[in-house]
Amino acid sequence: SFTISLRTVDNITVMIKLRPGVSTSCKIHGKNVARSELKIKPGENVTFTFTCSNPEKYFIMEIQKNIDCVSGPCPFGDVHLYPPGLPRLNRTFIWDVKASTKAGLELKFSTPWLRQIEPGETCPDFVSYNINSCIDAATVNIGTFCRNGSVSRVKLLGGVVLSLHLPWDSPLTTSGFNIANRASIKRLCIIESILKGESSITLMSPNYPLGFPEDELMTWQFVIPSNMRASVFFHNYSLSNCERKEERVEYYLPSSLSNPEVFKLGDSQPANIAGSFNLSLQGCDQDAQNPGILRLLFQVVVQHPQVDENVTHLVDLSKEQNMTVTIHFEGWPSRIPLMSEPICLICKDPRTCDRVVSLVSGVVYKISFLCKDLSRLRITAEKSISCVDIRWCQKKIYSLSVPKVITQLPIRLHKFIWKLLAHNLINTEITSPSLKLQQHVPEQRCNTSYSYSIVSATPETELNVGIFCPGGSIEKIQMRNNITISLKTFGKGFLNESNHQDLKMSFVPHIKDECTFIVSPDPKAKVYLQTPNWPYGLPPYVSISWYVVVPSKQVARLGFSKNRMGITCETGRAYVNIKEETLGAEETVRREDELLPEPRNMYHDFWVNVSNCKPVDKTQLTLQFWVTSADKQIDLGVILAVVAGAGVLVAIGLTVFCVKKKKKSQNPMVGVYNANVNTQVPGKQGLFTKGRKNNESHVYAVIDDAMVYGHLLKESNGSVTPEVDVYRPFDGPIGSLPPSPPPFSFRKDIKCSPNTKDPPPLMDTDHDTYTFAHQKSGQLEDNGNTNEKNNGDTSTSLLENKEQDGLVE
């Protein structure tokens, strides 16, 4: 059994009651009565027992002591936990002290002092203090505190209600504070915090997260050794709607010539403060209709002075345009650092420091760091490049490299973002002339110290072009819409590799496809390429092209990583188109319901185009293909043909030499040059409208008359001047050869037809082989038929089949 005896003079009331939400299976038994609640008033002596062996699971206890400091003297000094002999229940001691607003009360806590916590937070040992200030009928919650902190004293105006919550098994036997009388403090409260050594403290305004009382003033006093440095950070605040005055914070700082220094809550707060200081929060007269809420949660961090706190770093952004540089802690902005984490500060000047600092272009900064470990800091920069009129932008080449003013800082670059903004009819071209780019795919991962993430965006859609790194085969990428390129670093190697950046950008006229890649495969590697937006699939109706360069002495092999596109179209059709850039080349077309082509050899530059339809739900167009290249192989037949051709040339040379010996008086070889002869690579059959007998495509620019008319020389013994055929100019039509057209034309729904007109042939480049050519004798004559099925090469060499050429007429 338990006996509780209360003296009248102590003015203490004890209440034992059921915990909220528990059953009534356990009762309090006293005076032959079982009850669920027991109240013991001053002057009473009560003996009772519990009907269960574990009453702490069912009951709680409140012990309230009323102290009147208005009508009589206050019992100042240590506060005791009274009465003794209480049952082991979760209990709350409440001291309700009434005092005049003309006087102040001071609650002084013994070590290990207190630490303020946010509402809803619990203390590790479940021992907590709650302090309320009572002015007339109004009650203001000053805060809830745990043990083991830096809050040593709380001074209040008027009365106070202090509650101490103890768990049933707490060994605590003292209250841990005393009450003292003080003169009026002329403000709501003063909270004193003693910070020794490196530490931090988090504090909140009264009533947090609810509103600070209207037009009130309170102060925090921070006692800090003069050899330490303190910095203030406002982590969460809101402002009320003021009718008169202005909400603000005021600082009394050591060695300041302008105390108090006034700041708005939105300002960057003082940092690197040497020694003790005061911080006050001042409210305003609020709008009665819409008062709003003034609240504040802030942190004070105390550090040792840094060894290099006087070392400044020059950041000259005066010549930069449209660029911002943000120095921040690792994980910003998605991760909020814990209050307990060591803090790193970036300072624009000795007093203006913060965890996150933004620098803008056009300004020169001198920054310093208050941080023991600079590896926990990062730099994120962003630069905008825009083009409104292509006439002013087209010829300009922009370098997309990280400025040295950033790489020279002792902080690791996390990301550099270029935002390329262009008009609807202006597109962007990205080039990497020397390093080239490699697309990051599962079979071909980037292992460099940095990579580029490229995104093409419109207000409606966003196309993730892919992730790329230096050291690949992609020379150019042409894209429509606004482009965002993000350089992201990995590890410390970027500092060494940053000197070799060669990414360039220029604005170009409008392109047909959403994105076009120019690829020059490395002959020593297998190049993997995949569609943008991997693995989520191309957006509907988007067309992507790759132009793969194949050197003349090499052959490329093209293959797909799967045998079908893997989608079903709801609207339109999806296509894969492959075509070599050579005259007469066939175009390979596959729809989404057909098998993709088997691996094949490509002997000329070629296009690969992927165009999407609108797929049905849960199907996405993702396609990957690979390209390898190798030197062309010459087989034995080709070698024998070359040797036979060389023998023929030797025989012809000997014949010419012998004929010339017989005709020393013979005139030199003659011929009339025909300037209208078409010396270009022939196009499709049917380009020449005349037949073999009527056109002059077989006319040679220079003909040795001794070879052609040698039999006449023999008959005349060299004394008769031979007849010389005079060549007439060619008056027929000659095909024009325009520059290379766009690869293909795609619609949402298209069918391949044998009557579909091929795109016009390419203009020959400087490295193409020029031949004097004529049509084969099997070709149709005079009908200009342009629907021939034979797409083979119609050119023959000068030295082929002299009888067919009719050299002797």
Side-chain angles (χ1 to χ4, degrees):
S1 64
F2 300 93
T3 299
I4 296 178
S5 180
L6 301 177
R7 298 181 303 179
T8 304
V9 68
D10 292 331
N11 202 11
I12 293 176
T13 302
V14 175
M15 171 73 75
I16 301 173
K17 55 186 178 181
L18 283 170
R19 298 176 63 176
V22 300
S23 65
T24 58
S25 57
C26 187
K27 300 287 186 179
I28 303 171
H29 190 271
K31 295 183 179 180
N32 300 321
V33 178
R35 64 189 74 182
S36 300
E37 186 175 289
L38 175 64
K39 184 175 183 180
I40 307 172
K41 298 179 181 178
E44 293 183 347
N45 189 340
V46 177
T47 299
F48 61 93
T49 60
F50 295 100
T51 61
C52 59
S53 60
N54 51 354
E56 68 275 3
K57 291 185 177 181
Y58 300 93
F59 294 97
I60 58 175
M61 181 166 51
E62 290 182 357
I63 305 99
Q64 180 168 331
K65 179 178 177 63
N66 297 318
I67 302 174
D68 186 1
C69 293
V70 176
S71 57
C74 282
F76 297 122
D78 292 337
V79 175
H80 302 283
L81 299 182
Y82 186 83
L86 296 174
R88 288 168 61 85
L89 304 176
N90 289 351
R91 54 202 181 276
T92 301
F93 291 90
I94 303 172
W95 293 273
D96 187 349
V97 183
K98 291 180 171 57
S100 170
T101 56
K102 297 180 180 179
L105 290 176
E106 179 183 281
L107 305 177
K108 186 175 181 180
F109 297 91
S110 56
T111 54
W113 298 326
L114 303 183
R115 171 177 62 88
Q116 189 173 6
I117 60 173
E118 295 185 49
E121 189 178 349
T122 57
C123 298
D125 59 358
F126 300 103
V127 176
S128 63
Y129 294 84
N130 184 262
I131 303 174
N132 290 272
S133 173
C134 300
I135 302 176
D136 299 328
T139 300
V140 179
N141 180 18
I142 302 301
T144 302
F145 302 82
C146 301
R147 298 194 300 167
N148 297 316
S150 60
V151 175
S152 57
R153 289 190 295 179
V154 178
K155 303 174 186 178
L156 302 114
L157 183 66
V160 61
V161 176
L162 189 149
S163 304
L164 170 60
H165 303 276
L166 299 175
W168 67 271
D169 57 351
S170 173
L172 200 64
T173 57
T174 60
S175 67
F177 72 97
N178 62 47
I179 300 177
N181 187 18
R182 289 291 181 267
S184 176
I185 57 176
K186 298 181 180 179
R187 61 199 66 206
L188 176 64
C189 66
I190 299 174
I191 298 176
E192 180 186 83
S193 181
I194 300 176
L195 296 162
K196 296 180 178 180
E198 288 199 336
S199 57
S200 71
I201 181 173
T202 301
L203 295 164
M204 286 143 273
S205 58
N207 282 344
Y208 188 89
L210 302 178
F212 186 67
E214 181 179 9
D215 196 25
E216 275 291 357
L217 172 67
M218 73 157 293
T219 299
W220 290 273
Q221 293 179 338
F222 299 97
V223 180
I224 298 170
S226 59
N227 63 336
M228 303 298 288
R229 299 292 181 266
S231 301
V232 181
F233 303 96
F234 286 4
H235 292 293
N236 190 13
Y237 69 90
S238 64
L239 302 175
S240 58
N241 298 315
C242 297
E243 281 191 346
R244 292 187 302 118
K245 300 182 183 179
E246 185 179 13
E247 295 165 336
R248 63 190 185 275
V249 287
E250 298 178 352
Y251 290 87
Y252 279 83
L253 301 172
S255 305
S256 174
L257 301 178
S258 56
N259 282 326
E261 295 191 14
V262 179
F263 291 78
K264 294 181 179 180
L265 274 71
D267 293 339
S268 180
Q269 303 302 312
N272 204 22
I273 304 169
S276 303
F277 68 97
N278 291 355
L279 166 60
S280 298
L281 175 64
Q282 174 66 64
C284 67
D285 290 335
Q286 299 172 350
D287 184 347
Q289 302 298 324
N290 183 22
I293 292 177
L294 170 62
R295 61 184 170 194
L296 172 63
L297 182 149
F298 67 99
Q299 182 185 21
V300 176
V301 177
V302 178
Q303 299 170 288
H304 284 291
Q306 303 303 311
V307 175
D308 58 347
E309 68 172 332
N310 295 323
V311 177
T312 59
H313 301 269
L314 185 67
V315 183
D316 187 356
L317 302 180
S318 59
K319 296 181 181 179
E320 298 291 342
Q321 293 182 346
N322 303 319
M323 188 171 81
T324 59
V325 178
T326 303
I327 306 175
H328 55 85
F329 53 86
E330 189 175 7
W332 174 89
S334 58
R335 187 184 74 86
I336 299 176
L338 300 175
M339 300 291 185
S340 58
E341 287 185 28
I343 196 165
C344 274
L345 301 180
I346 308 103
C347 302
K348 292 182 181 179
D349 57 60
R351 191 65 66 77
T352 307
C353 304
D354 209 337
R355 280 183 164 178
V356 179
V357 169
S358 292
L359 314 176
V360 297
S361 55
V363 182
V364 179
Y365 297 91
K366 291 182 178 180
I367 63 171
S368 59
F369 302 99
L370 291 177
C371 182
K372 280 188 174 180
D373 185 7
L374 291 179
S375 66
R376 292 173 28 235
L377 293 178
R378 296 289 184 270
I379 296 176
T380 296
E382 182 176 306
K383 183 178 179 66
S384 296
I385 303 174
S386 61
C387 178
V388 178
D389 190 337
I390 191 66
R391 293 175 298 177
W392 303 107
C393 314
Q394 187 171 3
K395 295 183 180 181
K396 189 171 183 180
I397 297 177
Y398 301 86
S399 174
L400 302 186
S401 58
V402 179
K404 289 186 177 180
V405 69
I406 293 177
T407 57
Q408 70 185 8
L409 289 173
I411 308 298
R412 176 179 152 189
L413 175 68
H414 170 61
K415 189 180 288 186
F416 198 107
I417 302 169
W418 290 274
K419 291 193 172 182
L420 313 178
L421 311 175
H423 189 268
N424 290 338
L425 299 179
I426 303 173
N427 298 132
T428 304
E429 180 178 273
I430 307 299
T431 62
S432 182
S434 59
L435 295 179
K436 301 182 184 178
L437 295 177
Q438 170 190 315
Q439 188 171 15
H440 178 80
V441 298
E443 295 81 2
Q444 182 180 266
R445 296 182 178 275
C446 291
N447 58 3
T448 54
S449 64
Y450 65 99
S451 68
Y452 299 100
S453 171
I454 302 178
V455 177
S456 169
T458 64
E460 296 81 19
T461 61
E462 183 175 280
L463 181 69
N464 185 2
V465 178
I467 296 175
F468 304 85
C469 56
S473 300
I474 300 173
E475 292 183 348
K476 293 182 182 180
I477 307 176
Q478 291 182 338
M479 294 163 286
R480 292 161 57 181
N481 309 320
N482 294 330
I483 309 299
T484 299
I485 301 177
S486 302
L487 182 151
K488 188 175 182 180
T489 64
F490 307 95
K492 299 178 181 179
F494 175 73
L495 191 60
N496 297 325
E497 296 186 13
S498 63
N499 297 325
H500 307 292
Q501 300 173 80
D502 75 332
L503 200 65
K504 311 289 183 184
M505 187 279 298
S506 58
F507 293 104
V508 296
H510 188 69
I511 61 173
K512 176 178 65 66
D513 294 324
E514 196 74 25
C515 186
T516 300
F517 299 84
I518 312 298
V519 184
S520 294
D522 184 350
K524 299 179 182 179
K526 191 174 187 178
V527 179
Y528 288 89
L529 299 164
Q530 65 186 21
T531 51
N533 246 34
W534 190 282
Y536 306 106
L538 280 179
Y541 309 126
V542 165
S543 177
I544 308 294
S545 290
W546 293 262
Y547 182 79
V548 182
V549 178
V550 181
S552 58
K553 295 183 179 181
Q554 291 184 344
V555 58
R557 189 161 181 82
L558 166 68
F560 290 86
S561 298
K562 58 183 181 180
N563 57 7
R564 290 186 179 271
M565 295 191 211
I567 64 167
T568 303
C569 290
E570 179 181 319
T571 307
R573 307 305 293 262
Y575 291 94
V576 171
N577 294 63
I578 305 169
K579 188 175 182 183
E580 286 189 279
E581 277 294 315
T582 183
L583 297 175
E586 293 184 354
E587 178 177 347
T588 302
V589 182
R590 294 290 187 272
R591 295 188 314 222
E592 80 283 352
D593 56 352
E594 297 175 328
L595 289 172
L596 292 171
E598 294 293 328
R600 58 177 58 194
N601 291 337
M602 312 296 284
Y603 297 92
H604 305 86
D605 299 354
F606 63 93
W607 287 93
V608 176
N609 178 279
V610 177
S611 56
N612 198 12
C613 60
K614 181 182 179 183
V616 298
D617 291 340
K618 297 182 180 180
T619 62
Q620 301 293 341
L621 178 54
T622 57
L623 207 59
Q624 184 189 87
F625 63 93
W626 50 263
V627 179
T628 60
S629 60
D631 293 336
K632 288 182 179 178
Q633 300 296 323
I634 302 177
D635 58 24
L636 183 59
V638 174
I639 296 174
L640 293 176
V642 171
V643 172
V648 172
L649 288 175
V650 171
I652 293 173
L654 291 174
T655 303
V656 172
F657 176 76
C658 293
V659 171
K660 285 190 175 183
K661 291 286 286 183
K662 290 183 178 181
K663 57 178 245 11
K664 294 184 179 179
S665 60
Q666 173 68 29
N667 293 331
M669 57 184 177
V670 295
V672 178
Y673 174 73
N674 186 350
N676 290 322
V677 172
N678 184 1
T679 61
Q680 299 287 342
V681 176
K684 299 187 300 182
Q685 294 185 6
L687 176 63
F688 295 103
T689 57
K690 294 185 179 184
R692 173 69 180 88
K693 296 180 180 179
N694 299 327
N695 71 31
E696 287 142 341
S697 63
H698 61 291
V699 175
Y700 293 93
V702 177
I703 303 174
D704 188 341
D705 57 330
M707 291 177 62
V708 180
Y709 306 105
H711 63 290
L712 298 177
L713 294 173
K714 292 179 181 180
E715 294 175 359
S716 61
N717 295 322
S719 61
V720 180
T721 303
E723 295 179 5
V724 178
D725 194 3
V726 178
Y727 296 91
R728 297 176 298 279
F730 173 64
D731 296 324
I734 297 175
S736 61
L737 300 175
S740 174
F744 314 103
S745 176
F746 298 99
R747 295 187 294 274
K748 294 181 183 178
D749 196 355
I750 179 171
K751 292 184 178 180
C752 293
S753 170
N755 296 323
T756 301
K757 190 174 182 180
D758 287 338
L762 272 177
M763 179 74 75
D764 284 345
T765 55
D766 292 341
H767 60 271
D768 289 331
T769 303
Y770 288 82
T771 60
F772 296 95
H774 57 77
Q775 292 172 302
K776 292 182 179 179
S777 60
Q779 187 173 342
L780 292 177
E781 298 178 6
D782 296 327
N783 58 3
N785 187 358
T786 60
N787 292 320
E788 296 261 346
K789 294 182 179 180
N790 178 18
N791 290 327
D793 189 359
T794 61
S795 64
T796 58
S797 172
L798 287 173
L799 301 177
E800 284 182 7
N801 201 339
K802 291 188 289 183
E803 292 181 3
Q804 180 182 346
D805 290 343
L807 293 177
V808 180
E809 300 193 353

